[in-house]
Amino acid sequence: MSKTAPLSLNVPEPGCRPGDEPDFSDFVVPEAGGVTRPPIDADPNDIRDMAFSIIRVLDNEDHAVGPWAGTLSNDELVEGLRHMMTLRIFDARMMNAQRQGKTSFYIQHLGEEAVSCAFRKALQDGDMNFPTYRQAGLLIAGGYPMTTMMNQIYSNSQDPLHGRQLPIMYSSKEHGFFSISGNLGTQFMQSVGWAMASAISGDTRIAAGWIGDGSTAESDFHAALVFASTYKAPVVLNIVNNQWAISTFQGIARGGVGTFAARGHGFGIPSVRVDGNDYLAVHAVAQWANERARSGLGPTLIEHVTYRAGGHSSSDDPSAYRAKEEVAAWPLGDPIDRLKKHLIKIGAWSDEQHAKAEEEILEQVIAAQKEAESCGTLGHGKVPSPRDMFEGVYETMPPHLVKQRQEAGY
Amino acid sequence: MTQMTMIEAIRDAHDVAMGRDEKVVVFGEDVGYFGGVFRCTAGLQAKYGKTRCFDAPISELGIVGAAVGMAAYGLRPVIEIQFADYVYPGIDQIVSEAARLRYRSAGDFTCPLVIRMPTGGGIFGGQTHSQSPEAYFTHVAGLKTVMPSNPQDAKGLFLAAIEDPDPVIILEPKRLYNGPFDGHHDKPIVPWKKHEQGDVAEGYYTTPLGKAAIRRSGNEVTILAYGTMVYVAEAAAEEAGIDAEIIDLRTLLPLDLDAIETSVKKTGRCLIVHEATKTSGFGAELMAQVQETCFYHLESQIIRVTGWDTPYPHAQEWDYFPCPNRVVAALHQLMEE
């Protein structure tokens, strides 16, 4: 018989829980401008350290510094700020609409607005995103009509998806936004397939896959890396590490002491971490990775380090599992606040302009909301006909479904 | 017409489809340079290049997921799952993604994808190379599920599947790859060239999805079968000396309910034969459909002859398969009632 002590299981825990003092002392915030910007054809072996640092452009004094700065003009930065503000105001209105019973469910982006808004501006029209449920910024920054987004959220008579999908699970091929799946991780693999198809076809368009930190534990994540690496697919693989998968902290899915980005090393994929609350940094890294993909240099893995300041969804209460003060203690700050301060610092913006922009955007969102609500809301009439329920399962309705539709009275 | 085995017919269908449409791409484990473990894709990479026919990593999830992305892009991917038994890691991508993409995006994105997989027993493949998973797929709205029983249909159904705008599962009975099977395992395999269904039309043709075929006309009992079991049913009908009508379903979803109803109303009796396990098997669906549509025409109960509710055994393979003797006994039981 062995005389060694009984074994015990390691179950990781976050630094703090409700009632504790927030503790990000283990979170190292690298200096802005401190990470090199390699050429797009750099040997992945030469840039392995980029999976352990964080690319940052905005420093603590709101200056844009280092080799990743300068990808955007002042006008483009103001536009980016307005996109993020729009997404935040849109979210707030839709969260309220959910509380008012106008829809069943909503997911907001609070604190993560820079990730999708900045990434979208580094893509070209025709490129395809395979997003999760927290990248509506791809649509806002891509010019997709807010009213149409709301029609989908309300499952109303103008919902382009005929009431078949959960609210916020948008789809727009025209705007490079693949239909969202509720089964997490599945679309990471599909983005690689889409990119492979583009390469097979001799196209110039690229794909972007999106996955959350928690879902990287799904097999789809690993399959996607294998395929992307094997076929050098023109795809950018984005991990949004917002620290929380509902109530489960990112340490559960991550395993060990590595980073999510470091997982790309086993596949020879250039893998970087970026400050996801820094609009300038996200844009610069996205531009670098997209250029790699478009130049036939294969995939890039990007870990966007950010923080989910709100609940997971309208059904979630984060105060049940994390300290309330943690949001304010998050070391990378708020993306809107940081970009605003930077623009003021360089003289391209002011508090007055900001306040005015907030008013204007709120008016636009309210106008869109009024228009959408005139077409109905879930629970308040004007929802799509049950006849729609039977359509589109197949291109041509097979006889058994025709019979069932008739049986249902449609 | 040319004499072909089912393997040759499937290979020919690939060739015809790839020659007609450059959007057709073929991939899966070992399908590229080597041409697949059953040789269904032999020669395609040499002819069409390695970006249109290539090997994939051993990841069914990855193979199906990549194909969903390719189909959404606008290609017409044809993928091979090396054995149907291996499909389970890819099921989520088939059921939750491929099958629903058109519906959930309201046609914004579609998934014209063909998933081929060798299925069933009869080659001593044991529990992981012999399963018949059709019921998993027929339960899913948005999929079509096909199982051919001969080379002529295998080619025609395959080409129809490629043309189809929605995802189609093709389950290929691997025992039939080289010749038909009448359930008498002690007899040598009769090659397709001695069977009229081994005559395959050349060039492009399609066999419509959703249409059954009457393999034997009769008036006393209807036997519903598909794949390998069509031949077991034929042997049993001969041995029993009963005037049975045998319907080869060919497509399980959507099912040719008209053909079933017409036949059962004519004969008044129904026997269902399939290779998969009995409980919650596709035979249960067939029974329910017959009961719903033909109840007042039935002169006896509906009987199922199926594989047993066990994992597929290796050494006892021939005891697992529904054999002609079991089908004969069931036919006699039906006629006595």
Side-chain angles (χ1 to χ4, degrees):
Chain A
M1 291 291 284
S2 168
K3 289 183 179 174
T4 55
L7 296 166
S8 63
L9 187 71
N10 173 53
V11 181
E13 277 292 329
C16 71
R17 286 294 193 187
D20 296 339
E21 281 290 311
D23 179 14
F24 285 106
S25 56
D26 290 343
F27 186 90
V28 179
V29 180
E31 185 191 349
V35 178
T36 57
R37 181 186 177 117
I40 57 168
D41 60 351
D43 185 333
N45 285 319
D46 295 340
I47 56 172
R48 289 170 70 88
D49 58 330
M50 293 179 74
F52 299 98
S53 189
I54 298 178
I55 296 165
R56 305 179 69 232
V57 172
L58 292 176
D59 69 11
N60 294 337
E61 282 74 47
D62 308 315
H63 295 291
V65 297
W68 294 88
T71 61
L72 290 161
S73 67
N74 289 359
D75 286 348
E76 287 168 329
L77 286 175
V78 169
E79 186 192 27
L81 181 68
R82 293 184 75 102
H83 288 152
M84 290 197 289
M85 292 166 71
T86 304
L87 181 54
R88 187 164 290 185
I89 291 168
F90 182 96
D91 274 347
R93 297 292 301 187
M94 290 296 100
M95 277 293 280
N96 271 339
Q98 191 276 334
R99 301 302 188 214
Q100 291 163 354
K102 293 174 182 170
T103 187
S104 60
F105 179 74
Y106 191 70
I107 278 184
Q108 62 176 341
H109 304 71
L110 194 65
E112 298 178 49
E113 291 88 347
V115 175
S116 52
C117 288
F119 194 92
R120 176 61 185 85
K121 295 309 287 183
L123 288 173
Q124 294 179 8
D125 289 346
D127 295 338
M128 186 62 68
N129 287 283
F130 288 73
T132 78
Y133 43 70
R134 221 183 296 277
Q135 275 88 49
L138 296 168
L139 290 172
I140 297 274
Y144 190 70
M146 280 191 288
T147 307
T148 312
M149 292 171 74
M150 291 170 177
N151 289 337
Q152 200 282 321
I153 291 165
Y154 288 143
S155 290
N156 66 18
S157 58
Q158 296 305 304
D159 172 7
L161 307 183
H162 306 310
R164 295 171 187 160
Q165 271 277 46
L166 268 181
I168 62 88
M169 293 206 176
Y170 317 101
S171 172
S172 176
K173 190 175 186 175
E174 191 189 343
H175 284 78
F177 195 94
F178 190 75
S179 153
I180 293 179
S181 175
N183 288 24
L184 306 185
T186 51
Q187 293 175 240
F188 218 52
M189 187 58 242
Q190 293 161 8
S191 71
V192 179
W194 195 99
M196 288 169 67
S198 184
I200 288 169
S201 306
D203 201 344
T204 57
R205 294 177 292 163
I206 64 169
W210 296 86
I211 199 166
D213 51 281
S215 308
T216 59
E218 291 281 5
S219 305
D220 305 67
F221 173 78
H222 304 273
L225 293 191
V226 174
F227 276 69
S229 168
T230 299
Y231 302 109
K232 282 191 187 281
V235 64
V236 179
L237 297 167
N238 296 282
I239 303 167
V240 181
N241 177 5
N242 68 7
Q243 314 300 314
W244 293 94
I246 307 187
S247 70
T248 305
F249 92 114
Q250 51 109 12
I252 290 285
R254 193 190 62 230
V257 294
T259 65
F260 290 102
R263 293 183 184 184
H265 286 166
F267 300 89
I269 297 176
S271 305
V272 304
R273 296 177 94 207
V274 63
D275 179 347
N277 289 18
D278 180 342
Y279 186 94
L280 290 82
V282 172
H283 181 269
V285 170
Q287 195 181 58
W288 183 82
N290 293 348
E291 199 182 337
R292 288 194 75 254
R294 217 178 299 279
S295 305
L297 293 164
T300 305
L301 185 66
I302 303 174
E303 178 184 344
H304 301 259
V305 183
T306 183
Y307 185 86
R308 193 196 76 210
H312 165 73
S313 72
S314 55
S315 307
D316 179 40
D317 174 13
S319 70
Y321 52 81
R322 70 182 187 192
K324 274 183 183 165
E325 301 77 14
E326 204 182 276
V327 178
W330 171 244
L332 297 179
D334 178 86
I336 294 179
D337 192 44
R338 285 174 68 189
L339 182 53
K340 174 191 166 190
K341 284 180 176 164
H342 169 66
L343 285 168
I344 291 173
K345 175 77 78 176
I346 61 175
W349 198 241
S350 66
D351 282 321
E352 294 72 32
Q353 282 174 298
H354 195 83
K356 189 161 173 279
E358 266 183 340
E359 272 177 37
E360 283 168 9
I361 292 167
L362 181 60
E363 276 173 27
Q364 288 165 8
V365 174
I366 289 172
Q369 193 174 3
K370 278 185 179 161
E371 191 184 340
E373 290 184 4
S374 73
C375 301
T377 59
L378 188 71
H380 293 82
K382 290 190 182 175
V383 294
S385 162
R387 186 184 171 88
D388 281 339
M389 179 168 73
F390 295 92
E391 302 284 346
V393 182
Y394 302 90
E395 185 182 75
T396 305
M397 195 179 294
H400 71 282
L401 215 45
V402 173
K403 201 174 159 192
Q404 288 179 19
R405 190 189 66 197
Q406 289 165 348
E407 198 180 314
Y410 303 98
Chain B
M1 290 293 204
T2 309
Q3 292 265 314
M4 288 186 195
T5 65
M6 191 185 280
I7 290 171
E8 289 165 342
I10 291 165
R11 190 187 306 149
D12 187 45
H14 276 95
D15 189 10
V16 169
M18 294 175 85
R20 275 168 60 92
D21 184 355
E22 63 178 19
K23 289 189 168 63
V24 176
V25 294
V26 177
F27 65 104
E29 293 154 21
D30 298 302
V31 305
Y33 183 83
F34 178 56
V37 292
F38 289 103
R39 318 296 293 136
C40 289
T41 57
L44 297 176
Q45 186 176 81
K47 186 168 180 180
Y48 295 102
K50 66 179 187 179
T51 62
R52 290 193 61 202
C53 178
F54 54 90
D55 294 327
I58 301 176
S59 168
E60 284 72 23
L61 181 166
I63 292 167
V64 181
V68 171
M70 288 183 188
Y73 173 89
L75 295 186
R76 297 231 164 212
V78 174
I79 56 175
E80 178 178 289
I81 302 296
Q82 198 159 67
F83 285 87
D85 314 66
Y86 302 167
V87 77
Y88 304 109
I91 286 264
D92 186 35
Q93 287 284 351
I94 297 174
V95 171
S96 310
E97 304 296 316
R100 297 188 201 153
L101 189 52
R102 173 188 296 281
Y103 189 74
R104 76 173 193 225
S105 71
D108 198 21
F109 295 94
T110 59
C111 194
L113 159 66
V114 179
I115 307 175
R116 295 178 39 243
M117 45 187 119
T119 191
I123 63 157
F124 287 104
Q127 60 170 328
T128 53
H129 301 78
S130 307
Q131 293 166 63
S132 298
E134 63 270 22
Y136 291 103
F137 302 114
T138 57
H139 192 57
V140 182
L143 292 181
K144 292 177 182 170
T145 298
V146 171
M147 197 187 296
S149 68
N150 60 68
Q152 168 78 5
D153 280 359
K155 180 178 171 183
L157 290 166
F158 183 20
L159 289 169
I162 291 174
E163 197 176 77
D164 198 276
D166 292 306
V168 181
I169 309 284
I170 302 184
L171 295 158
E172 298 164 359
K174 63 178 97 63
R175 175 57 187 78
L176 302 181
Y177 270 160
N178 288 304
F181 171 63
D182 66 3
H184 296 288
H185 55 87
D186 50 346
K187 289 183 189 170
I189 291 177
V190 180
W192 279 111
K193 65 184 176 186
K194 293 188 177 172
H195 197 287
E196 66 178 63
Q197 289 165 356
D199 289 334
V200 176
E202 292 175 50
Y204 185 80
Y205 70 90
T206 58
T207 302
L209 305 182
K211 294 290 175 197
I214 296 173
R215 295 295 174 208
R216 184 186 198 273
S217 292
N219 293 297
E220 292 184 306
V221 58
T222 298
I223 304 179
L224 303 179
Y226 50 92
T228 309
M229 290 302 115
V230 170
Y231 302 95
V232 174
E234 282 179 344
E238 291 300 320
E239 287 171 27
I242 288 171
D243 186 21
E245 181 149 291
I246 297 173
I247 297 188
D248 176 355
L249 296 174
R250 300 200 291 195
T251 302
L252 308 186
L253 180 70
L255 191 59
D256 190 347
L257 290 167
D258 288 344
I260 295 170
E261 191 178 336
T262 303
S263 179
V264 176
K265 281 184 175 170
K266 178 178 73 171
T267 63
R269 293 182 174 85
C270 182
L271 175 67
I272 295 157
V273 189
H274 68 58
E275 204 180 321
T277 50
K278 185 173 189 174
T279 302
S280 298
F282 191 64
E285 175 61 28
L286 292 171
M287 261 183 135
Q289 293 284 359
V290 171
Q291 196 276 344
E292 280 180 7
T293 54
C294 306
F295 181 71
Y296 293 107
H297 297 263
L298 289 173
E299 293 173 35
S300 70
Q301 63 171 323
I302 309 163
I303 292 180
R304 284 177 287 174
V305 177
T306 70
W308 308 113
D309 282 355
T310 69
Y312 203 102
H314 179 236
Q316 304 90 341
E317 181 166 271
W318 305 116
D319 299 299
Y320 181 89
F321 248 146
C323 60
N325 285 351
R326 287 178 60 204
V327 180
V328 168
L331 285 170
H332 285 312
Q333 185 188 339
L334 279 180
M335 296 312 294
E336 284 164 13
E337 285 185 10

